[in-house]
């Protein structure tokens, strides 16, 4: 895969289909502990529909997202 002049890359069709990444989908790009660049599909709001039907499940989702955000913040601070 090569990058465009704007630094853009195309995710191969097989991977887009396998992971349900459609035009307009959102992805997260980050570096893991091994220094590899990771492209991670993000769930849409529609994917969350019904997921938080109980307060306990809604709290768990928020807790998971906050942990991801905290890890990202720590990585960014180390990179400065």
């Amino acid at each position: 895969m090569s990058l465009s002049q704007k630094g853009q890359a195309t995710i191969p069709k097989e991977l887009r289909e396998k992971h349900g990444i459609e035009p307009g989908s959102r992805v997260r790009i980050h570096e893991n502990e091994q220094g590899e660049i990771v492209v991670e599909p993000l769930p849409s709001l529609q994917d969350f529909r019904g997921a938080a039907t109980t307060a306990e499940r809604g709290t768990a989702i928020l807790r998971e997202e906050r942990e991801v955000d905290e890890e990202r913040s720590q990585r960014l601070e180390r990179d400065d």
Side-chain angles (χ1 to χ4, degrees):
M1 169 184 325
S2 60
L3 294 177
S4 72
Q5 289 182 345
K6 292 183 177 183
Q8 298 169 327
T10 301
I11 300 171
K13 181 180 180 183
E14 303 82 38
L15 291 175
R16 292 192 317 263
E17 289 176 349
K18 179 179 179 180
H19 296 283
I21 302 171
E22 299 177 356
S25 295
R26 296 183 52 89
V27 296
R28 176 182 302 155
I29 299 175
H30 60 93
E31 183 177 1
N32 66 17
E33 284 95 28
Q34 293 78 33
E36 300 168 323
I37 296 173
V38 178
V39 179
E40 177 183 6
L42 293 176
S44 68
L45 292 177
Q46 193 171 31
D47 293 337
F48 283 115
R49 177 176 274 158
T53 55
T54 67
E56 184 177 318
R57 180 65 187 137
T59 301
I61 291 170
L62 288 173
R63 190 173 293 125
E64 291 167 11
E65 288 301 313
R66 286 181 182 151
E67 288 175 9
V68 169
D69 289 342
E70 180 62 28
E71 290 171 6
R72 183 182 317 115
S73 294
Q74 290 174 358
R75 280 194 309 270
L76 291 173
E77 287 176 9
R78 286 193 304 255
D79 291 343
D80 286 342

